Amino acid sequence: MRTKAHRGQVAESAITLLRTGISKVNKHLILGAYEIVEADDFSWDDLDALYLEWEDLVDEANDILFE
């Protein structure tokens, strides 16, 4: 991904999708969010605040995935 702004938008989309997956207890949405951030062209570089927001949600998402 080319710019920090674009990566930030992608990160925000992934965080929103993860939150929605958690609130609806929807494994497909959670996995979709993980796929976004694990894509080869995505990086958390210079997105510290968004990364921390993501990390705050990961444990809850993993609990749903591994129930």
Side-chain angles (χ1 to χ4, degrees):
M1 296 193 183
R2 296 186 183 146
T3 66
K4 178 182 176 180
H6 185 249
R7 287 183 294 109
Q9 290 174 342
V10 171
E12 287 175 3
S13 295
I15 290 167
T16 298
L17 189 59
L18 189 63
R19 276 197 181 111
T20 302
I22 291 168
S23 68
K24 294 185 176 195
V25 190
N26 185 312
K27 292 180 181 182
H28 294 288
L29 294 178
I30 293 169
L31 290 173
Y34 281 138
E35 287 177 8
I36 291 170
V37 300
E38 291 178 3
D40 290 338
D41 61 347
F42 179 77
S43 170
W44 288 107
D45 291 344
D46 298 322
L47 300 175
D48 296 339
L50 290 171
Y51 178 75
L52 292 174
E53 193 174 340
W54 172 267
E55 281 296 306
D56 285 343
L57 299 169
V58 167
D59 287 338
E60 191 173 355
N62 285 340
D63 288 344
I64 292 169
L65 287 176
F66 298 110
E67 287 183 330

